[in-house]
Amino acid sequence: MDNKLNIFVKTILDMCFYFGLLAVASVPFTLRYSVQMTIRTLGEQTEYAAIADHFWYAVVSIMAVGVFTLLILFELRKMMKTVIDDDCFVEANVRSLYRMGTYAFIIAGIKLFRCFVYFTTAAVVIAGVFLFAGLFSKVLARVFDRAVKYKQENDLTI
C-alpha cells in the first residue's frame, strides 16, 4: 500500500497535537489580550465582551475543551499508526473511536454549560458540531467492532 498520504495525514495530526499543547498552555496568557483587542475592534456591545466579566471561567472552560480536543487528536494519531502499519481493523481502534465519541460529548457539554454563564453563538455551533461528531464516532466504533470480529473470524478460517 502507498503510505505517502497516510504518513502526510499522520504528520499533520502530530503537528496539530503539539501546536495544540502550546495553544492550551498559552490560554491564560493570550485570552485577556485577545478579548481586549476584540472589544477595541468591535466595541463593548460584542458578545465576546462577556468573556472579560467571566475571565477565569472562560480560561478554565477553554482549557478543558482544549485538553479533550488534544485527547481526540491523541486517539487519531494512534489510529493513523495502525493505518500506516496496514492493520487498522483492531480492537484498539474500536476503543479509540469510542473514547473519541465520549470526549466529543464532554466538549459539547462544556460548551453548552458555558452558554449559561455567558452566551456566544460560536459556543452553540461548536457544541452542535461536537455532539454530531460524538454520535458519528460512537456509530463508527460499532461498525469497526463488527469489522474486527469479521476479520478475526476470517483469520481463523484461513
Side-chain angles (χ1 to χ4, degrees):
M1 177 199 274
D2 183 19
N3 267 342
K4 289 178 186 173
L5 179 61
N6 297 335
I7 293 169
F8 177 71
V9 171
K10 172 78 166 64
T11 303
I12 290 172
L13 288 172
D14 289 343
M15 290 183 346
C16 287
F17 181 78
Y18 292 114
F19 284 127
L21 283 172
L22 292 173
V24 170
S26 72
V27 168
F29 311 106
T30 59
L31 182 62
R32 189 175 307 277
Y33 173 76
S34 299
V35 169
Q36 289 169 348
M37 193 168 72
T38 302
I39 291 171
R40 261 186 271 134
T41 305
L42 301 176
E44 288 286 333
Q45 300 306 316
T46 179
E47 61 187 8
Y48 295 98
I51 295 173
D53 298 333
H54 305 283
F55 181 75
W56 286 108
Y57 180 80
V59 167
V60 170
S61 67
I62 291 169
M63 290 183 78
V65 165
V67 167
F68 285 106
T69 303
L70 288 172
L71 289 170
I72 289 172
L73 284 170
F74 180 76
E75 297 294 339
L76 283 170
R77 291 171 64 229
K78 287 192 321 188
M79 287 183 68
M80 280 307 298
K81 178 82 171 91
T82 66
V83 172
I84 291 168
D85 294 341
D86 200 23
D87 188 27
C88 54
F89 294 108
V90 292
E91 190 64 35
N93 285 350
V94 174
R95 288 190 302 273
S96 287
L97 284 164
Y98 188 80
R99 280 192 292 263
M100 285 189 294
T102 301
Y103 300 150
F105 288 148
I106 292 169
I107 291 169
I110 291 169
K111 296 305 269 182
L112 287 174
F113 182 74
R114 199 206 74 189
C115 287
F116 291 105
V117 177
Y118 64 94
F119 180 83
T120 60
T121 306
V124 175
V125 171
I126 291 168
V129 167
F130 276 96
L131 183 64
F132 183 75
L135 290 170
F136 183 74
S137 186
K138 297 285 186 179
V139 169
L140 202 53
R142 289 181 176 188
V143 171
F144 258 71
D145 188 45
R146 293 301 310 149
V148 167
K149 285 180 177 45
Y150 290 143
K151 181 183 178 289
Q152 289 170 345
E153 287 176 19
N154 190 40
D155 289 347
L156 291 175
T157 58
I158 294 178

